[in-house]
């Protein structure tokens, strides 16, 4: 097991097979290091405080990633329960692969597309083996966190090729570089912006990436996703740049992450210029509630304020008749999935290790029951607002 103060997403991706769990003194549940660990199926617990750094080499512990707990000097039954859990996960993975041919359709016949979030070829491969219909979020920035300058078109192609070549004619949703926050490379250390704002200030870098994506994604159903959108003018600027690099006038689909409260509120205006939207519940939740994503121990997606923003984005997407994807961690949370489906999401993009279980869960859902759950949650919301007001 690895104990540390904090870790970056690239550190987690580079861990060897000997590491079976991670315990951090700091960190947040939707920080990118935690997302990478979850996607690899590696148990990780964050925010344990400095006491965790005292754990001696060889000390027996149980890392309960699902429960967010670290048990030091566990009793024999606790160790046995952890072993059992680990076997259960291995069994679930085998079942996911065996059932990958089953459709992810709700009991009443609604097709919910389950896609994989990926930043490496291994995640694409695992996701496809578990039945993913394609890639719903390719986090391109994670491979360039050590970069000393904006990546060139050929660097992008070298990274994209091994991932996209696995997809054949499937969906490949490639997100433009989302630098900033806990994904800041050395050359942007002084910048305060995030995502598309940074790229629009470096138009050559934007064109280099678009050119590379169009080239490497030729054989796929390519979709380009714009991160941290706050306004229509950003989408229009990317659309224009895309026209300049499109081959033979065939521009790929263009979508926006709805992950800032501004984008959620402006969703009706944005969708007119978009071919799909993808809800980034990780940032949306933290930004809407004023939390610190790199340190927050919770991601309360069902908070009324957040739910209201998700609701308006889904309504806007559904009214425009475009795909509404959710690619934040909420898309694989069994408690939140029925609400997302009830609100009108029709694509869920999740970490590779969770594709099979999410597909299985979708098969157990009933749209009418999901809608009722949403109504109850919104009623709770009214009660909550009443309490706040009174
Ligand atoms: C999100 O914010 O929900 C999201 C999927 O993007 P990222 O986690 O990469 O910020
Ligand atoms: Mg985000």
């Amino acid at each position: 097991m690895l104990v540390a103060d904090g870790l970056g997403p690239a550190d987690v991706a580079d861990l060897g097979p000997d590491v079976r769990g991670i315990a951090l003194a700091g960190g947040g549940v939707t920080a990118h290091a935690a997302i990478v660990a979850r996607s690899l199926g590696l148990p990780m617990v964050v925010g344990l405080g400095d006491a965790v750094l005292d754990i001696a080499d060889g000390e027996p512990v149980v890392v309960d990633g699902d429960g967010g707990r670290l048990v030091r000097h566990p009793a024999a039954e606790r160790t046995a329960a952890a072993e059992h859990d680990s076997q259960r996960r291995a069994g679930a993975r085998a079942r996911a692969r065996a059932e990958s041919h089953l459709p992810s359709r709700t009991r009443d016949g609604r097709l919910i597309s389950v896609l994989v979030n990926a930043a490496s070829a291994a995640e694409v491969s695992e996701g496809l083996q578990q039945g993913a219909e394609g890639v719903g979020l390719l986090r391109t920035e994670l491979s360039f966190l050590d970069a000393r300058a904006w990546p060139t078109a050929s660097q992008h192609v070298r990274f994209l090729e091994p991932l996209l070549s696995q997809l054949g004619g499937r969906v490949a949703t490639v997100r433009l570089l989302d630098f900033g926050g806990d994904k800041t490379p050395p050359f942007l250390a002084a910048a305060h912006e995030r995502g598309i704002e940074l790229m629009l200030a470096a138009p050559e870098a934007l064109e280099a990436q678009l050119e590379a994506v169009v080239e490497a994604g030729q054989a796929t159903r390519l979709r380009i996703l714009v991160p941290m959108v706050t306004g229509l003018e950003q989408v229009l600027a990317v659309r224009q740049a895309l026209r300049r690099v499109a081959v033979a006038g065939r521009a790929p689909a263009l979508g926006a992450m709805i992950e800032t409260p501004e984008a959620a509120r402006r969703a009706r205006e944005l969708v007119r210029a978009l071919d799909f939207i993808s809800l980034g519940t990780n940032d949306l939740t933290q930004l809407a509630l004023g939390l610190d994503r790199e340190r927050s121990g919770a991601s309360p997606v069902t908070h009324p304020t957040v739910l209201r923003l998700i609701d308006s984005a889904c309504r806007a997407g559904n009214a425009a008749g475009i795909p509404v994807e959710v690619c934040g961690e909420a898309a694989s949370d069994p408690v939140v999935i029925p609400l997302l489906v009830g609100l009108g999401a029709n694509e869920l993009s999740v970490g590779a290790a969770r594709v099979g279980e999410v597909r299985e869960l979708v098969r157990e859902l009933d749209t009418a029951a999901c809608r009722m759950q949403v109504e109850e949650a919104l009623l709770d919301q009214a009660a909550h607002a009443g309490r706040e007001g009174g």
Side-chain angles (χ1 to χ4, degrees), residues 32 139 175 183 194 257 259 280-283 293 327-328:
H32 286 90
R139 288 185 167 99
R175 189 171 67 182
K183 299 184 291 193
R194 222 191 113 182
M257 294 285 296
E259 56 182 341
T281 50
N282 305 334
D283 278 306
R293 179 164 174 187
C327 67

Side-chain angles (χ1 to χ4, degrees), residues 8-32:
D11 304 323
V12 178
D14 287 345
L15 292 175
D18 295 346
V19 176
R20 294 181 59 200
I22 305 171
L24 295 188
V29 287
T30 53
H32 286 90

